[in-house]
Amino acid sequence: MRSELLPPNGGSSVIEIGDVVTEGGVTIPSARLRLHAFYDDANDCPTTASTRPIILIEHALTGDGNAIDWWSDNVGPGKPIDTERYLVLCANVLGGCQGSTGPASLHADGKPWGSRFPGLSIRDMVQAENQLMEKLGVEKIDSMIGASMGGARVLEWTLMFPERVTSALAIAVSARASAWQIGIQSSQIRFIEADPDWQGGDYYGTGREPNEGMGQARRIAHLTYRGELEVDERFGTEPQRGENPYGPYRRSDQRFAVESYLDRHADKLKERFDAGSYVVLTDALNRHDVGRGRGGMNAALGSSQVPTMVVGVDTDILYPYHQQEHLSRNLGDFIGLSKITSPTGHDGFLIESRQMGQVLKKFLQKAELLSEVVD
């Protein structure tokens, strides 16, 4: 491993991975990925850290490579993903907006890619990550862990580059996008594209951004991330404090409490995430299908030779638990199915830290045994 390319512990660096050619045949020249690395108690020495077992974490749609931030209960010193024991890597995905090449990045002509940025598949993202691993000189990833869009990348890694992966954990994901998922995700994209400030995707540098469309997309998405019972128990039909949605005429500034909650999450995402990336990555989720070009979904899963564990959340609306059960029945080297019980829906893998931590410990114990067999 080229330890000199590792970012400092807890830090990140942007690494050029060369040209990436998409499934659609478009070349993204001199693509870059921002890589985060965590290796506590290694005297902040990349050379020492490079000898440790490697865990690659795959982030979700609007996540980023700073896994110790969004999964703080489970990533860190002495935690289930122990950064004093493992070299933990997490890269911002191709097409994203946190330092990796995406629509907001500059094209070779010095202008933002904008509408010229190609459509991506999950496989394109994995191809870029594999090029990153090659650049780092990583021959073997001891454990790969990802949830939601990260889980989709985990599944594709096991099929595209099985020789590089010793064990895998796919969380809250399916073998392919369902028609329902495509419908709900395409609706989000259309809200953004219908915003006049979208400007055909070429809004960069104009001083106008499709914030209204982005907010609407986030409101829809956030409802699919949470559980119906949890949202109802928290908000019910209560008005937002100081407002009255029961007045004689509807007014947008007189909201139910749940509307205020969704508005807050919409505003938070608009502040930290680029609409162009949101469209590209959401479209990639629509294209997710491990069976495409591989003889169908079950045939592809059956061909997997990477020991894979699967996790689902019992109240997940976006990726219902039956989809993880389907994975468990068809994976060629299946090593376990765990269920997170939670009223919080899809976000249970983030919120139910104790349960998720137990699952991670169980998986990594199995992963260590598998690594010993491989060695």
Side-chain angles (χ1 to χ4, degrees), residues 2 8 45 91 141 173 187 239 246 251 300 311 340 352 356:
R2 297 179 61 188
C45 177
I141 299 164
V173 74
S187 296
Y246 293 103
R251 288 173 46 183
V311 184
I340 294 174
E352 302 294 346
M356 192 68 248

Side-chain angles (χ1 to χ4, degrees), residues 307-323:
T308 303
M309 186 172 172
V310 180
V311 184
V313 183
D314 63 349
T315 55
D316 195 337
I317 297 170
L318 184 59
Y319 289 95
Y321 188 69
H322 69 79
Q323 294 180 337

Side-chain angles (χ1 to χ4, degrees), residues 60-223:
L61 173 65
T62 59
D64 57 31
N66 192 13
I68 208 166
D69 178 48
W70 51 264
W71 227 5
S72 58
D73 289 334
N74 283 309
V75 182
K79 296 178 181 179
I81 301 177
D82 190 347
T83 53
E84 292 179 331
R85 184 174 186 178
Y86 302 104
L87 169 57
V88 180
L89 304 176
C90 188
N92 293 331
V93 73
L94 181 70
C97 54
Q98 285 103 346
S100 295
T101 301
S105 303
L106 295 182
H107 189 274
D109 62 10
K111 298 178 181 179
W113 274 87
S115 64
R116 297 176 294 174
F117 197 80
L120 296 180
S121 67
I122 299 296
R123 298 179 194 181
D124 294 330
M125 298 172 184
V126 170
Q127 174 61 43
E129 291 170 359
N130 183 63
Q131 291 179 209
L132 173 63
M133 293 299 109
E134 289 181 338
K135 188 69 176 286
L136 292 172
V138 173
E139 295 181 0
K140 202 75 173 179
I141 299 164
D142 294 273
S143 298
M144 180 168 292
I145 301 169
S148 196
M149 189 182 79
R153 299 204 301 286
V154 166
L155 292 176
E156 281 294 348
W157 260 103
T158 66
L159 295 170
M160 293 175 67
F161 305 105
E163 70 284 356
R164 285 191 182 273
V165 185
T166 301
S167 62
L169 177 63
I171 306 165
V173 74
S174 59
R176 66 163 174 80
S178 69
W180 187 89
Q181 288 161 346
I182 293 172
I184 203 77
Q185 289 160 179
S186 295
S187 296
Q188 295 171 44
I189 292 172
R190 292 194 182 197
F191 268 117
I192 294 172
E193 292 178 333
D195 188 325
D197 290 336
W198 171 248
Q199 302 172 70
D202 293 314
Y203 58 88
Y204 302 100
T206 68
R208 295 162 46 208
E209 298 181 0
N211 289 327
E212 181 60 28
M214 184 70 161
Q216 297 287 46
R218 182 60 171 183
R219 290 179 183 91
I220 295 172
H222 196 73
L223 285 173

Side-chain angles (χ1 to χ4, degrees), residues 158-160 162 290 294-306 330-333:
T158 66
L159 295 170
M160 293 175 67
V290 300
R294 296 178 178 138
M297 183 168 51
N298 292 344
L301 292 174
S303 71
S304 175
Q305 298 303 305
V306 175
N330 290 280
L331 279 164
D333 196 343

Side-chain angles (χ1 to χ4, degrees), residues 197-355:
D197 290 336
W198 171 248
Q199 302 172 70
D202 293 314
Y203 58 88
Y204 302 100
T206 68
R208 295 162 46 208
E209 298 181 0
N211 289 327
E212 181 60 28
M214 184 70 161
Q216 297 287 46
R218 182 60 171 183
R219 290 179 183 91
I220 295 172
H222 196 73
L223 285 173
T224 71
Y225 300 154
R226 308 306 288 238
E228 184 267 337
L229 287 175
E230 181 229 4
V231 172
D232 190 56
E233 287 177 1
R234 287 179 66 182
F235 304 107
T237 59
E238 290 298 311
Q240 175 63 12
R241 184 178 302 173
E243 301 180 22
N244 179 23
Y246 293 103
Y249 297 98
R250 167 170 167 73
R251 288 173 46 183
S252 60
D253 61 350
Q254 301 298 307
R255 301 166 297 171
F256 289 96
V258 68
E259 292 181 88
S260 174
Y261 166 73
L262 294 173
D263 286 346
R264 184 167 68 254
H265 279 279
D267 290 340
K268 286 168 62 177
L269 188 69
K270 288 185 288 187
E271 291 173 0
R272 70 175 180 85
F273 211 82
D274 173 54
S277 285
Y278 194 90
V279 168
V280 167
L281 301 185
T282 302
D283 179 58
L285 282 172
N286 285 348
R287 300 179 185 212
H288 172 52
D289 181 358
V290 300
R292 177 168 45 80
R294 296 178 178 138
M297 183 168 51
N298 292 344
L301 292 174
S303 71
S304 175
Q305 298 303 305
V306 175
T308 303
M309 186 172 172
V310 180
V311 184
V313 183
D314 63 349
T315 55
D316 195 337
I317 297 170
L318 184 59
Y319 289 95
Y321 188 69
H322 69 79
Q323 294 180 337
Q324 291 86 61
E325 290 179 316
H326 171 263
L327 289 172
S328 73
R329 291 192 299 269
N330 290 280
L331 279 164
D333 196 343
F334 169 68
I335 59 172
L337 173 65
S338 291
K339 179 192 292 185
I340 294 174
T341 302
S342 172
T344 60
H346 185 65
D347 277 354
F349 74 89
L350 294 170
I351 297 169
E352 302 294 346
S353 298
R354 185 189 63 80
Q355 291 185 63

